[in-house]
Coordinates of all heavy atoms in Angstrom, one line a residue:
Chain I
R222 N -8.0 6.0 56.4 CA -9.3 5.4 56.2 C -9.2 4.5 55.0 O -8.4 4.7 54.0 CB -10.4 6.5 56.0 CG -10.8 7.1 57.3 CD -12.1 7.9 57.1 NE -11.9 9.0 56.1 CZ -12.8 9.2 55.1 NH1 -13.8 8.4 55.0 NH2 -12.6 10.1 54.3
V223 N -10.1 3.6 54.9 CA -10.2 2.7 53.8 C -11.6 2.5 53.3 O -12.5 2.5 54.1 CB -9.5 1.3 54.1 CG1 -10.2 0.6 55.2 CG2 -9.5 0.4 52.9
A224 N -11.8 2.4 52.0 CA -13.1 2.2 51.4 C -12.9 0.9 50.5 O -12.0 0.9 49.7 CB -13.5 3.4 50.5
V225 N -13.8 -0.1 50.8 CA -13.7 -1.3 50.0 C -14.7 -1.2 48.9 O -15.9 -1.0 49.1 CB -13.9 -2.5 50.9 CG1 -13.8 -3.8 50.1 CG2 -13.0 -2.5 52.1
M226 N -14.3 -1.5 47.7 CA -15.2 -1.4 46.6 C -15.4 -2.7 46.0 O -14.5 -3.6 45.9 CB -14.4 -0.5 45.6 CG -15.4 0.3 44.7 SD -14.5 1.5 43.7 CE -15.7 1.9 42.5
Y227 N -16.6 -2.9 45.6 CA -17.0 -4.2 44.9 C -17.9 -3.9 43.8 O -19.0 -3.4 44.0 CB -17.5 -5.2 45.9 CG -17.9 -6.5 45.2 CD1 -16.8 -7.3 44.8 CD2 -19.2 -6.9 45.0 CE1 -17.1 -8.5 44.1 CE2 -19.4 -8.1 44.4 CZ -18.4 -8.9 44.0 OH -18.7 -10.1 43.3
R228 N -17.6 -4.3 42.6 CA -18.4 -4.1 41.4 C -19.0 -2.7 41.3 O -20.2 -2.6 41.2 CB -19.5 -5.2 41.4 CG -19.1 -6.6 41.4 CD -18.9 -7.1 40.0 NE -18.0 -8.3 40.0 CZ -18.4 -9.5 39.7 NH1 -19.6 -9.8 39.5 NH2 -17.5 -10.5 39.7
G229 N -18.2 -1.7 41.4 CA -18.6 -0.4 41.2 C -19.2 0.3 42.4 O -19.6 1.5 42.3
K230 N -19.4 -0.4 43.5 CA -20.0 0.2 44.7 C -19.1 0.1 45.9 O -18.3 -0.8 45.9 CB -21.3 -0.5 45.0 CG -22.4 -0.3 44.1 CD -23.7 -0.8 44.7 CE -25.0 -0.2 44.1 NZ -25.3 -0.8 42.8
I231 N -19.2 1.1 46.8 CA -18.4 0.9 48.0 C -19.2 0.1 49.0 O -20.4 0.4 49.2 CB -18.1 2.3 48.6 CG1 -17.1 3.0 47.7 CG2 -17.5 2.2 50.0 CD1 -16.6 4.3 48.1
V232 N -18.6 -1.0 49.4 CA -19.4 -1.9 50.3 C -19.1 -1.7 51.8 O -19.9 -2.0 52.7 CB -19.2 -3.4 49.9 CG1 -19.9 -3.7 48.6 CG2 -17.8 -3.8 50.0
E233 N -17.9 -1.2 52.0 CA -17.5 -0.9 53.4 C -16.5 0.2 53.5 O -15.6 0.3 52.6 CB -16.9 -2.2 54.0 CG -16.5 -2.1 55.5 CD -16.6 -3.4 56.3 OE1 -16.9 -4.4 55.7 OE2 -16.3 -3.4 57.5
S234 N -16.6 1.0 54.5 CA -15.6 2.0 54.6 C -15.4 2.4 56.1 O -16.4 2.3 56.9 CB -15.9 3.3 53.8 OG -17.1 3.9 54.3
G235 N -14.3 3.0 56.4 CA -14.0 3.4 57.8 C -12.6 3.4 58.1 O -11.7 3.2 57.2
P236 N -12.2 3.7 59.3 CA -10.8 3.7 59.7 C -10.1 2.4 59.4 O -10.7 1.3 59.6 CB -10.8 4.0 61.2 CG -12.1 4.6 61.4 CD -13.1 4.1 60.4
T237 N -8.9 2.5 58.9 CA -8.2 1.3 58.5 C -8.2 0.2 59.5 O -8.5 -1.0 59.3 CB -6.8 1.6 58.1 OG1 -6.8 2.8 57.2 CG2 -6.1 0.5 57.3
A238 N -7.8 0.6 60.7 CA -7.6 -0.4 61.8 C -8.9 -1.2 62.0 O -9.0 -2.4 62.2 CB -7.1 0.2 63.0
T239 N -10.0 -0.4 62.0 CA -11.3 -1.0 62.3 C -11.7 -2.0 61.2 O -12.1 -3.1 61.5 CB -12.4 0.1 62.3 OG1 -11.9 1.2 63.0 CG2 -13.7 -0.4 63.0
V240 N -11.5 -1.6 60.0 CA -11.9 -2.5 58.9 C -11.0 -3.7 58.9 O -11.5 -4.8 58.7 CB -11.8 -1.7 57.6 CG1 -12.1 -2.7 56.4 CG2 -12.8 -0.6 57.5
W241 N -9.8 -3.5 59.2 CA -8.8 -4.6 59.1 C -9.1 -5.6 60.2 O -9.0 -6.8 59.9 CB -7.4 -4.0 59.3 CG -6.3 -5.0 59.2 CD1 -5.6 -5.5 60.3 CD2 -5.7 -5.6 58.1 NE1 -4.7 -6.4 59.9 CE2 -4.7 -6.4 58.5 CE3 -5.9 -5.4 56.7 CZ2 -3.9 -7.2 57.6 CZ3 -5.1 -6.2 55.8 CH2 -4.1 -7.0 56.3
T242 N -9.3 -5.1 61.4 CA -9.5 -6.1 62.5 C -10.9 -6.6 62.6 O -11.1 -7.7 63.0 CB -9.1 -5.4 63.8 OG1 -9.8 -4.2 63.9 CG2 -7.6 -5.2 63.9
D243 N -11.9 -5.8 62.1 CA -13.3 -6.2 62.3 C -14.1 -6.0 61.1 O -15.0 -5.1 61.1 CB -13.8 -5.5 63.6 CG -15.3 -5.8 63.8 OD1 -15.7 -7.0 63.4 OD2 -16.0 -5.0 64.3
P244 N -13.9 -6.7 60.0 CA -14.7 -6.4 58.8 C -16.1 -6.8 59.0 O -16.4 -7.9 59.7 CB -14.0 -7.3 57.8 CG -13.3 -8.4 58.5 CD -12.9 -7.8 59.9
L245 N -17.0 -6.0 58.5 CA -18.4 -6.4 58.6 C -19.0 -7.0 57.4 O -19.7 -8.0 57.4 CB -19.2 -5.1 58.8 CG -19.4 -4.6 60.3 CD1 -20.4 -3.4 60.3 CD2 -19.9 -5.7 61.1
H246 N -18.7 -6.4 56.2 CA -19.3 -6.9 55.0 C -18.6 -8.2 54.5 O -17.4 -8.4 54.7 CB -19.1 -5.9 53.9 CG -19.9 -6.1 52.7 ND1 -19.6 -6.9 51.7 CD2 -21.1 -5.6 52.3 CE1 -20.5 -6.9 50.7 NE2 -21.5 -6.1 51.1
P247 N -19.5 -9.2 54.0 CA -18.9 -10.5 53.6 C -17.8 -10.3 52.6 O -16.8 -11.1 52.7 CB -20.1 -11.2 53.0 CG -21.3 -10.4 53.4 CD -20.9 -9.1 53.8
Y248 N -17.9 -9.4 51.7 CA -16.8 -9.3 50.7 C -15.5 -8.8 51.4 O -14.4 -9.4 51.1 CB -17.2 -8.3 49.6 CG -16.1 -8.1 48.7 CD1 -15.7 -9.1 47.8 CD2 -15.4 -6.9 48.6 CE1 -14.7 -9.0 46.9 CE2 -14.3 -6.8 47.7 CZ -14.0 -7.8 46.9 OH -12.9 -7.7 46.0
T249 N -15.6 -7.9 52.3 CA -14.4 -7.5 53.0 C -13.8 -8.6 53.8 O -12.6 -8.8 53.8 CB -14.7 -6.3 54.0 OG1 -15.7 -5.4 53.4 CG2 -13.5 -5.6 54.4
K250 N -14.6 -9.4 54.3 CA -14.2 -10.6 55.1 C -13.4 -11.5 54.2 O -12.3 -12.0 54.5 CB -15.3 -11.3 55.7 CG -15.9 -10.6 56.9 CD -17.1 -11.4 57.5 CE -17.7 -10.6 58.7 NZ -19.0 -11.2 59.0
A251 N -14.1 -11.8 53.0 CA -13.4 -12.7 52.0 C -12.1 -12.2 51.6 O -11.1 -12.9 51.5 CB -14.4 -12.9 50.8
L252 N -12.1 -10.9 51.3 CA -10.8 -10.3 50.9 C -9.7 -10.4 51.9 O -8.6 -10.8 51.5 CB -11.1 -8.8 50.6 CG -10.3 -8.0 49.6 CD1 -10.4 -8.7 48.2 CD2 -10.8 -6.6 49.5
L253 N -10.1 -10.1 53.1 CA -9.0 -10.2 54.1 C -8.6 -11.7 54.4 O -7.4 -12.0 54.6 CB -9.5 -9.6 55.4 CG -9.6 -8.1 55.4 CD1 -10.4 -7.5 56.6 CD2 -8.2 -7.5 55.4
G254 N -9.6 -12.6 54.3 CA -9.3 -14.0 54.5 C -8.5 -14.6 53.5 O -7.8 -15.6 53.7
A255 N -8.5 -14.0 52.3 CA -7.8 -14.7 51.2 C -6.3 -14.3 51.1 O -5.6 -14.8 50.3 CB -8.5 -14.3 49.9
I256 N -5.9 -13.4 52.0 CA -4.5 -13.0 51.9 C -3.6 -14.0 52.6 O -3.8 -14.4 53.7 CB -4.3 -11.6 52.7 CG1 -5.2 -10.6 52.1 CG2 -2.8 -11.2 52.6 CD1 -5.2 -9.3 52.9
P257 N -2.8 -14.6 51.8 CA -1.9 -15.6 52.4 C -0.8 -14.9 53.2 O -0.2 -13.9 52.8 CB -1.3 -16.3 51.2 CG -1.4 -15.4 50.0 CD -2.5 -14.4 50.3
R258 N -0.5 -15.4 54.4 CA 0.5 -14.7 55.3 C 1.8 -15.5 55.2 O 1.9 -16.7 55.3 CB 0.0 -14.8 56.7 CG -1.4 -14.4 56.9 CD -1.5 -12.9 57.1 NE -2.7 -12.4 56.6 CZ -3.6 -11.7 57.4 NH1 -3.4 -11.4 58.6 NH2 -4.7 -11.2 56.8
P259 N 2.9 -14.7 55.0 CA 4.2 -15.3 54.9 C 4.7 -15.7 56.3 O 5.7 -15.2 56.7 CB 5.0 -14.3 54.2 CG 4.4 -13.0 54.6 CD 3.0 -13.3 54.9
D260 N 4.0 -16.6 56.9 CA 4.4 -16.9 58.3 C 5.1 -18.3 58.4 O 5.5 -18.8 59.5 CB 3.2 -16.8 59.2 CG 2.0 -17.6 58.7 OD1 2.2 -18.4 57.7 OD2 0.9 -17.4 59.2
G261 N 5.1 -19.0 57.2 CA 5.7 -20.3 57.3 C 4.9 -21.4 57.9 O 5.3 -22.5 58.1
K262 N 3.6 -21.1 58.1 CA 2.7 -22.1 58.8 C 2.0 -23.0 57.8 O 1.4 -24.0 58.2 CB 1.7 -21.4 59.7 CG 2.3 -20.5 60.8 CD 1.4 -20.4 62.0 CE 2.0 -19.5 63.0 NZ 1.7 -18.1 62.8
G263 N 2.1 -22.7 56.6 CA 1.5 -23.6 55.6 C 0.0 -23.5 55.7 O -0.6 -24.5 55.4
V264 N -0.6 -22.4 56.0 CA -2.0 -22.3 56.1 C -2.6 -21.8 54.8 O -2.2 -20.7 54.3 CB -2.4 -21.3 57.2 CG1 -3.9 -21.3 57.4 CG2 -1.8 -21.7 58.5
L265 N -3.4 -22.6 54.2 CA -4.0 -22.1 53.0 C -5.1 -21.0 53.3 O -5.9 -21.3 54.2 CB -4.7 -23.3 52.2 CG -3.8 -24.1 51.3 CD1 -4.6 -25.3 50.8 CD2 -3.3 -23.3 50.2
P266 N -5.1 -19.9 52.6 CA -6.1 -18.9 52.9 C -7.4 -19.4 52.5 O -7.6 -20.3 51.6 CB -5.7 -17.7 52.0 CG -4.8 -18.3 50.9 CD -4.1 -19.5 51.5
A267 N -8.5 -18.9 53.1 CA -9.8 -19.4 52.8 C -10.2 -18.9 51.4 O -9.9 -17.8 51.0 CB -10.8 -18.7 53.8
A268 N -10.8 -19.9 50.7 CA -11.2 -19.5 49.3 C -12.7 -19.5 49.2 O -13.3 -20.4 49.7 CB -10.6 -20.6 48.3
P269 N -13.2 -18.5 48.6 CA -14.7 -18.4 48.4 C -15.1 -19.6 47.6 O -14.3 -20.0 46.7 CB -14.9 -17.1 47.7 CG -13.6 -16.4 47.7 CD -12.5 -17.4 48.0
D270 N -16.3 -20.1 47.8 CA -16.7 -21.3 47.1 C -16.8 -21.1 45.6 O -16.1 -21.7 44.8 CB -18.1 -21.8 47.6 CG -18.0 -22.2 49.0 OD1 -16.8 -22.6 49.4 OD2 -19.0 -22.3 49.7
A271 N -17.7 -20.2 45.2 CA -17.9 -19.9 43.8 C -17.1 -18.6 43.5 O -16.4 -18.0 44.4 CB -19.3 -19.7 43.5
E272 N -17.2 -18.2 42.3 CA -16.4 -17.0 41.9 C -16.9 -15.8 42.6 O -16.2 -14.9 43.0 CB -16.5 -16.8 40.3 CG -15.8 -17.9 39.6 CD -14.3 -17.5 39.3 OE1 -14.2 -16.4 38.8 OE2 -13.4 -18.3 39.5
A273 N -18.2 -15.6 42.7 CA -18.8 -14.4 43.3 C -20.1 -14.8 44.1 O -21.1 -14.8 43.5 CB -19.1 -13.4 42.3
P274 N -19.9 -15.1 45.4 CA -21.1 -15.4 46.2 C -22.1 -14.2 46.2 O -21.7 -13.1 46.1 CB -20.6 -15.7 47.6 CG -19.1 -15.7 47.4 CD -18.7 -15.0 46.2
A275 N -23.4 -14.6 46.3 CA -24.4 -13.5 46.3 C -24.2 -12.5 47.4 O -24.5 -11.4 47.3 CB -25.8 -14.2 46.3
A276 N -23.7 -13.0 48.5 CA -23.6 -12.2 49.7 C -22.7 -11.0 49.4 O -22.9 -9.9 50.1 CB -23.0 -13.0 50.9
W277 N -21.8 -11.1 48.5 CA -20.9 -10.0 48.3 C -21.6 -8.8 47.7 O -21.2 -7.6 47.8 CB -19.8 -10.4 47.3 CG -18.8 -11.4 47.9 CD1 -18.9 -11.9 49.1 CD2 -17.6 -11.9 47.3 NE1 -17.8 -12.7 49.3 CE2 -17.0 -12.8 48.2 CE3 -17.0 -11.7 46.0 CZ2 -15.9 -13.5 47.9 CZ3 -15.9 -12.4 45.7 CH2 -15.3 -13.3 46.7
H278 N -22.7 -9.1 47.0 CA -23.5 -8.0 46.4 C -24.4 -7.2 47.4 O -24.9 -6.2 47.1 CB -24.4 -8.5 45.3 CG -23.6 -9.0 44.1 ND1 -23.2 -8.1 43.1 CD2 -23.2 -10.2 43.7 CE1 -22.5 -8.7 42.2 NE2 -22.5 -10.0 42.5
E279 N -24.5 -7.8 48.6 CA -25.4 -7.3 49.6 C -25.0 -5.8 49.9 O -23.8 -5.5 50.0 CB -25.1 -8.1 50.9 CG -26.4 -8.4 51.6 CD -26.0 -9.4 52.8 OE1 -25.6 -8.9 53.8 OE2 -26.1 -10.6 52.5
E280 N -26.0 -5.0 50.1 CA -25.7 -3.6 50.6 C -25.9 -3.6 52.1 O -26.9 -4.0 52.6 CB -26.7 -2.6 49.9 CG -26.3 -2.5 48.5 CD -27.0 -1.3 47.9 OE1 -27.3 -0.3 48.6 OE2 -27.3 -1.3 46.7
M281 N -24.8 -3.2 52.8 CA -24.9 -3.1 54.2 C -24.6 -1.7 54.7 O -23.4 -1.3 54.8 CB -23.9 -4.0 54.9 CG -24.2 -5.5 54.7 SD -22.9 -6.5 55.4 CE -23.3 -6.4 57.1
P282 N -25.7 -0.9 54.9 CA -25.5 0.5 55.2 C -24.6 0.6 56.5 O -23.8 1.6 56.6 CB -26.9 1.0 55.5 CG -27.8 0.1 54.8 CD -27.1 -1.2 54.7
E283 N -24.7 -0.3 57.4 CA -24.0 -0.2 58.6 C -22.5 -0.4 58.4 O -21.7 0.0 59.3 CB -24.5 -1.2 59.7 CG -24.2 -2.7 59.3 CD -25.3 -3.3 58.5 OE1 -26.0 -2.6 57.7 OE2 -25.4 -4.6 58.5
A284 N -22.1 -1.0 57.3 CA -20.7 -1.1 57.0 C -20.1 0.1 56.5 O -18.9 0.3 56.5 CB -20.5 -2.3 56.1
L285 N -20.9 1.1 56.0 CA -20.3 2.3 55.5 C -20.1 3.3 56.6 O -20.8 3.3 57.6 CB -21.3 2.9 54.5 CG -21.6 2.0 53.3 CD1 -22.7 2.6 52.4 CD2 -20.4 1.7 52.5
D286 N -19.1 4.1 56.4 CA -18.7 5.2 57.4 C -18.6 4.6 58.8 O -19.2 5.2 59.7 CB -19.8 6.3 57.3 CG -19.6 7.1 56.1 OD1 -18.4 7.3 55.7 OD2 -20.6 7.6 55.5

Side-chain angles (χ1 to χ4, degrees):
Chain I
R222 282 193 300 131
V223 59
V225 181
M226 207 170 165
Y227 181 68
R228 303 270 159 108
K230 289 193 161 78
I231 291 180
V232 293
E233 180 156 359
S234 65
T237 310
T239 317
V240 174
W241 181 260
T242 49
D243 178 27
L245 272 188
H246 195 275
Y248 177 68
T249 319
K250 287 180 182 164
L252 207 56
L253 287 168
I256 302 172
R258 312 272 148 123
D260 51 10
K262 299 209 181 86
V264 183
L265 274 174
D270 293 340
E272 292 268 311
W277 291 2
H278 289 279
E279 221 172 88
E280 288 195 26
M281 290 178 75
E283 68 272 26
L285 299 175
D286 286 324

